[in-house]
């Protein structure tokens, strides 16, 4: 004789509820305010590295990946991989006698996972390079940050210099 087990719908619902409840308890809560503060501090250190010419600070805030990307304002400023970017920064820092950075319209958003953040702002630069004073305002900057081993790093950075008017009328 064959036996057929019949489960009562209430037993099935309780099993599902308890299964879901256990899963919810194991998910760690992310303090997005704390993560935003830490990611913001990382961006502050990034800008400080420019003002101080501190290549060691650049090294601390950037991902050392072979596929991290930095795009600057000059046509030749496309670096893929940390090593090439670091070499370019060492060259730029050596040419700078002074540099000040001003920032406006900064925004930083942390993903709900607490593992990824994105930054945008408008930067201004004023300083002296190779004996010549320079000033540039209105550079649009963006960055993508990733949290690795409880530490934020920049995995992508982009700076662009806006053109006057429109490239194409629309």
């Amino acid at each position: 004789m064959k036996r057929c087990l019949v489960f009562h719908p209430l037993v099935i619902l309780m099993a599902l509820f308890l299964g879901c409840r256990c899963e919810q308890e194991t998910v760690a809560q992310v303090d997005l305010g704390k993560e935003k503060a830490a990611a913001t501090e990382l961006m502050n250190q990034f800008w400080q590295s420019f003002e101080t010419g501190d290549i060691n600070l650049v090294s601390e805030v950037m991902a050392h990946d072979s596929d991290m990307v930095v795009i600057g304002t000059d046509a030749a400023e496309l670096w893929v991989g940390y090593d090439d970017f670091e070499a370019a920064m060492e060259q730029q820092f050596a040419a700078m006698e002074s540099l000040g950075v001003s920032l406006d319209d900064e925004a930083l958003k942390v993903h709900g996972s607490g593992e990824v953040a994105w930054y945008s702002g408008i930067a201004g630069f004023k300083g002296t390079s190779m004996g010549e004073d320079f000033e540039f305002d209105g550079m649009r900057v963006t960055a993508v940050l990733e949290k690795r081993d409880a530490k934020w790093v920049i995995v992508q950075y982009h700076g662009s210099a806006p053109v006057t008017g429109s490239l194409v009328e629309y």
Side-chain angles (χ1 to χ4, degrees):
M1 176 170 159
K2 290 186 180 180
R3 282 195 164 174
C4 180
L5 295 177
V6 177
F7 291 100
H8 190 277
L10 185 57
V11 172
I12 293 171
L13 286 174
M14 284 182 59
L16 288 172
F17 173 75
L18 290 174
C20 291
R21 180 88 174 126
C22 291
E23 185 177 320
Q24 287 175 350
E25 289 176 5
T26 61
V27 175
Q29 294 296 319
V30 176
D31 183 343
L32 293 178
K34 178 182 170 189
E35 295 306 335
K36 182 175 182 176
T40 298
E41 177 57 27
L42 178 92
M43 289 307 302
N44 291 339
Q45 291 173 344
F46 176 72
W47 295 118
Q48 180 186 357
S49 73
F50 278 75
E51 290 185 319
T52 61
D54 187 347
I55 197 67
N56 293 321
L57 189 51
V58 171
S59 179
E60 288 178 31
V61 301
M62 301 297 292
H64 287 240
D65 302 348
S66 61
D67 61 350
M68 62 84 68
V69 176
V70 174
I71 302 171
T73 56
D74 297 345
E77 292 183 336
L78 170 59
W79 300 284
V80 177
Y82 177 77
D83 293 339
D84 290 342
F85 175 65
E86 181 183 54
M89 291 307 298
E90 286 176 334
Q91 184 179 6
Q92 286 184 21
F93 288 167
M96 297 284 170
E97 287 121 47
S98 67
L99 179 63
V101 179
S102 61
L103 298 161
D104 290 308
D105 299 326
E106 290 182 283
L108 189 136
K109 170 84 173 163
V110 176
H111 184 269
S113 68
E115 300 293 320
V116 178
W118 47 98
Y119 167 90
S120 65
I122 306 295
F125 300 91
K126 183 176 184 178
T128 305
S129 177
M130 300 177 69
E132 298 289 325
D133 291 338
F134 67 90
E135 186 170 352
F136 179 79
D137 287 316
M139 180 187 288
R140 299 175 289 193
V141 294
T142 63
V144 177
L145 294 72
E146 188 175 293
K147 190 169 182 189
R148 297 181 179 175
D149 299 323
K151 181 179 179 279
W152 287 99
V153 292
I154 299 169
V155 296
Q156 184 271 325
Y157 170 82
H158 182 199
S160 64
V163 298
T164 301
S166 298
L167 290 175
V168 175
E169 295 299 321
Y170 57 93

